[in-house]
Amino acid sequence: MTRLGSVRDAIYALRKARLGLERRRLDYGRETRERADRLAEILPASAAELREYEREYESLEWFHDTYADRVAEIHEAGVATDTTHWRDGVTVYVVCRALGIETAVETGVLFGSFDAHILAAMVENGGGTLHSVDLPGGPPGPFEYGHLIPDRCREHWHLHRGDAREVVPDLLERVGPVDLFLHDSDHRLPHMRFEYETALEHLEDGGVLASHDVRLSALFDRFSDANGLRSRVVCDTGIARL
Ligand SMILES: C[S@@+](CC[C@H](N)C(=O)[O-])C[C@H]1O[C@@H](n2cnc3c(N)ncnc32)[C@H](O)[C@@H]1O
C-alpha cells in the first residue's frame, strides 16, 4: 500500500471511531419520527402521504416474514457485521414509493438490506429494476450477496460483481438515466466522491442521489450544496434530489 493509501485508511478509521461515538448520542427515535416531515421538504409528496408509505411498509407481511427469518439466519451464523439497519431501509422505501422509482443503481450489497427495501417498493410500485454492485466474492458466512432479499423481489434484481470504480461508469452509461443512485460501498472519501460525481451525470431530472453513512464527514452535504441538490438526512442516510 502507498503512503497516501495508509494515511487515507488512518483518517477513515478515525472518522469511523468518531461516527461510532456520535451514533450513541443520536436520537434515532426522533430521527425516525421526523422522517416524513424532513423528506416532504424535498419530495413531491406531503408528510401525510409519506407517513402513509411508512404505515404501508409496516403492514407488508410478505416482506417482513422473509426478512425477519433471514435476519435470524445471519445472526445465528454470528456474522451480522455492517448490515444496514432497517430504519434506513424504510427511508429508502418511502422515497422509492413516493417517486415511483423505476430504475435504480446501488453499490455495496452485503446481505442486501437496502436492496430488499428498494425491491419491496418496486414490487408495490408494480415494476422496476435494481442494479446492485459489489466486489467479487461474497458476504461472510454461508451466504450469498443479497441473502435478505425475499424471493418475490428477485425478478427485479441484477447483481454486478466488481469494483464499483470499474463497474459503475459503464453500468450507468447502459442503464441510465436512473431515478435513484444509492452509495453504500467503500466509505473512504475519494471513493464516495467518485460515486457521487459519476452518479450525478446519470441522474434523471428529479431523481435521487442517496448515501449511507453520511455522518462520517461533511462530504454529502457539501456535494449536495455545490451541485444544487436539495438534501435531508434521516438517521444515517442522506437523500439528495436533483
Ligand atoms: C456496509 S456494507 C453494505 C451494506 C448493505 N448496503 C446493506 O444494506 O446492508 C459495504 C459493502 O460494500 C462492498 N464494497 C466495498 N468496497 C467496494 C467497492 N470498491 N466496489 C464495490 N463494492 C464495494 C463490500 O464488499 C460490502 O459488501
Side-chain angles (χ1 to χ4, degrees):
M1 183 182 294
T2 62
R3 197 172 142 70
L4 182 59
S6 39
V7 170
R8 280 188 180 147
D9 281 352
I11 293 172
Y12 180 51
L14 267 176
R15 285 186 197 281
K16 268 180 96 170
R18 205 182 55 197
L19 180 63
L21 289 175
E22 199 185 317
R23 276 185 174 150
R24 278 190 221 161
R25 286 197 297 266
L26 202 63
D27 184 346
Y28 281 108
R30 193 178 125 207
E31 293 278 316
T32 303
R33 283 192 299 281
E34 290 180 2
R35 178 191 291 119
D37 294 307
R38 291 185 193 179
L39 293 180
E41 289 166 2
I42 58 168
L43 295 178
S46 67
E49 286 166 326
L50 298 178
R51 277 195 199 94
E52 197 51 51
Y53 288 129
E54 290 178 325
R55 279 192 286 276
E56 171 188 276
Y57 169 81
E58 281 166 25
S59 64
L60 284 187
E61 277 176 35
W62 66 265
F63 176 81
H64 295 296
D65 288 350
T66 310
Y67 192 84
D69 285 351
R70 301 213 174 150
V71 167
E73 286 166 12
I74 294 167
H75 278 285
E76 276 158 26
V79 293
T81 53
D82 268 352
T83 303
T84 300
H85 198 283
W86 59 268
R87 64 186 160 227
D88 289 307
V90 182
T91 299
V92 172
Y93 177 89
V94 166
V95 169
C96 290
R97 288 291 281 137
L99 291 176
I101 298 281
E102 285 177 10
T103 308
V105 168
E106 195 234 357
T107 63
V109 179
L110 198 68
F111 297 113
S113 175
F114 265 138
D115 307 67
H117 287 82
I118 294 169
L119 289 162
M122 285 179 170
V123 167
E124 295 302 309
N125 285 344
T129 308
L130 169 64
H131 296 270
S132 304
V133 180
D134 207 310
L135 296 170
F143 304 106
E144 299 288 336
Y145 282 133
H147 184 69
L148 293 169
I149 300 171
D151 295 343
R152 187 163 163 178
C153 302
R154 284 183 182 255
E155 64 180 283
H156 300 282
W157 190 52
H158 297 274
L159 173 65
H160 306 261
R161 290 170 194 269
D163 191 317
R165 253 184 197 275
E166 280 147 33
V167 175
V168 166
D170 286 350
L171 178 62
L172 285 171
E173 208 53 62
R174 270 191 293 120
V175 307
V178 297
D179 303 307
L180 168 75
F181 182 94
L182 169 60
H183 160 85
D184 195 16
S185 59
D186 180 346
H187 294 321
R188 283 170 293 188
L189 295 191
H191 188 91
M192 287 178 105
R193 195 176 296 113
F194 166 78
E195 286 197 15
Y196 293 176
E197 281 169 356
T198 311
L200 189 58
E201 288 169 27
H202 298 275
L203 261 196
E204 190 71 76
D205 203 20
V208 163
L209 170 67
S211 180
H212 196 227
D213 279 338
V214 290
R215 295 178 194 269
L216 270 170
S217 74
L219 177 65
F220 183 78
D221 292 335
R222 288 205 186 122
F223 184 86
S224 301
D225 287 350
N227 291 284
L229 302 171
R230 287 162 301 137
S231 70
R232 291 293 178 274
V233 174
V234 181
C235 301
D236 290 304
T237 299
I239 302 293
R241 185 146 179 261
L242 194 57

